[in-house]
Amino acid sequence: MMPKFTLSPYEKERRSQGITVLSLFAILIIVVFIISMNTGFMRLSPLEVLHTLMGDGTHQQKLILFDFRLPRIVISLLVGAGFAVSGCILQSLSRNALAEPATLGISAGAGFAVIIFISFFPATTAAPIFVLPLLALGGAGLTAALIYILAYRKEDGLSPTRLILIGIAVAAGINAVQLVLALRLDPNNYQFVATWIAGKIWGGDWRFVLALLPWIAILLPFAFYKARILNVLNLGDHTSVGLGMRVEKERIMLLVTAVALAGACVAVSGGIGFVGLIAPHLARRLVGPRHQILLPTCAFTGALLMITADTIGRWVLQPAEVPTGIVVAIIGAPYFLYLLAKSKA
């Protein structure tokens, strides 16, 4: 039996602060959601959006809103929450502030499996779309296992710095292989793969929402349920064992959860990085390290970041579109360099 912890007055204050932050983020998400519905090459005014949502819009307005914009907005929210929670779990397990699915190479591995499939097999029917998260999970899992094997040393175990460096190297190698394969594709598939690597929410209809939603609906609550386990693991292995925890079993379960979240998100969003890096850090600054409130705050932060980046990408260079991954990278790259400069070798 795991011991129950009594909240101190300081922790109660942090929990109250966390609820306030979550409420604020929920309001911001709603605001950006409304703005995003009005953003695009075919502009819809707020009044037209309202009429369309109530069923009074024209056929063209219904097509734009329900068949194109709303699925993409929902996918942005789900992907942002999934990447953010995955990054938070990876940072906690590795005790490395730089860990996230992209820097550890997990996103690249998931993307590699998906790109091979969609490059050589049709993805226009329902069955392949629902298979994509499974393929991404397989690619992400194999890559995570490879990185762990390469980073582990019998003498000193798993070094956080070595883990990040090997993850970056493996991701670079996988991306290079992806580009080599892309050169052998026809122009249409090459354009798709190049845009996908840059990070674009390419699943633009409700089938992709349905393919991703079960993974998010199952894995996020499971991660929240394991929040207390993450708190104890942060105390160190010896303390965790002393408190009655089966450390390796719990660590593997959480690692599989993080990898599965990242893989499912990559399957519909492409190679988007930095969400899993920025969101946990921002959430930790706002609500503290206690995972019961940190993980939900990460989910809200990631969702807000993704929907904002996607909206900016669709607006800034109309009628052209900037891939969401590039917008996130513009924000995330300087922050990554800042964290790298602060980290100890």
Side-chain angles (χ1 to χ4, degrees):
M1 291 289 294
M2 291 292 297
K4 294 184 178 180
F5 295 93
T6 303
L7 294 179
S8 66
Y10 171 77
E11 289 173 324
K12 291 181 179 179
E13 181 181 351
R14 296 291 295 203
R15 185 172 63 176
S16 176
Q17 180 182 350
I19 295 173
T20 302
V21 170
L22 286 176
S23 302
L24 176 60
F25 276 9
I27 294 172
L28 290 175
I29 288 173
I30 293 172
V31 171
V32 179
F33 192 102
I34 295 172
I35 295 173
S36 188
M37 286 192 295
N38 291 274
T39 301
F41 177 65
M42 299 293 293
R43 181 166 178 79
L44 299 178
S45 68
L47 189 59
E48 289 174 333
V49 170
L50 180 61
H51 286 163
T52 304
L53 290 175
M54 296 177 65
D56 296 331
T58 65
H59 175 72
Q60 183 186 43
Q61 290 170 344
K62 292 179 181 178
L63 181 67
I64 293 171
L65 188 61
F66 292 112
D67 292 349
F68 293 101
R69 291 187 186 170
L70 278 178
R72 179 164 175 168
I73 293 171
V74 173
I75 288 175
S76 298
L77 294 172
L78 295 177
V79 166
F83 273 136
V85 172
S86 176
C88 185
I89 294 173
L90 292 173
Q91 288 175 14
S92 297
L93 292 179
S94 65
R95 299 174 195 169
N96 192 321
L98 302 176
E100 66 127 349
T103 57
L104 291 180
I106 295 172
S107 295
F112 185 61
V114 173
I115 284 178
I116 290 178
F117 182 81
I118 61 180
S119 297
F120 297 100
F121 297 93
T124 56
T125 58
I129 291 173
F130 287 91
V131 168
L132 290 181
L134 292 173
L135 293 171
L137 174 60
L142 290 174
T143 305
L146 174 63
I147 293 170
Y148 183 89
I149 292 172
L150 293 176
Y152 185 81
R153 291 291 183 272
K154 187 175 181 180
E155 301 79 17
D156 55 354
L158 196 65
S159 166
T161 302
R162 187 165 56 242
L163 183 69
I164 291 295
L165 293 177
I166 290 177
I168 293 173
V170 170
I174 292 175
N175 289 332
V177 174
Q178 287 176 349
L179 290 175
V180 171
L181 291 176
L183 293 175
R184 304 182 61 181
L185 301 175
D186 62 78
N188 289 333
N189 281 338
Y190 174 80
Q191 180 66 30
F192 171 79
V193 169
T195 306
W196 196 93
I197 292 174
K200 180 181 180 181
I201 298 176
W202 64 283
D205 61 53
W206 292 107
R207 293 175 302 166
F208 290 90
V209 175
L210 293 176
L212 176 61
L213 185 60
W215 295 79
I216 301 297
I218 294 172
L219 294 175
L220 281 191
F222 180 76
F224 298 160
Y225 173 73
K226 290 292 184 178
R228 189 162 53 92
I229 301 297
L230 284 169
N231 289 338
V232 178
L233 286 174
N234 282 344
L235 300 176
D237 289 356
H238 293 296
T239 303
S240 300
V241 171
L243 291 173
M245 179 185 294
R246 291 178 288 183
V247 173
E248 288 304 321
K249 178 184 176 181
E250 296 292 350
R251 184 178 285 127
I252 291 173
M253 291 176 63
L254 286 165
L255 181 60
V256 170
T257 301
V259 170
L261 277 171
C265 292
V266 168
V268 298
S269 70
I272 296 178
F274 294 113
V275 176
L277 177 71
I278 299 173
H281 280 274
L282 179 58
R284 198 172 286 110
R285 287 177 179 270
L286 292 173
V287 301
R290 193 175 180 85
H291 286 85
Q292 283 91 334
I293 192 66
L294 175 61
L295 287 174
T297 305
C298 282
F300 275 62
T301 306
L304 178 60
L305 177 60
M306 276 294 298
I307 191 176
T308 302
D310 185 60
T311 303
I312 293 173
R314 287 190 283 119
W315 166 76
V316 67
L317 290 179
Q318 291 182 9
E321 182 178 314
V322 180
T324 307
I326 294 178
V327 179
V328 176
I330 292 173
I331 302 171
Y335 191 68
F336 177 77
L337 293 174
Y338 167 72
L339 291 176
L340 190 61
K342 285 185 61 180
S343 66
K344 297 180 181 180

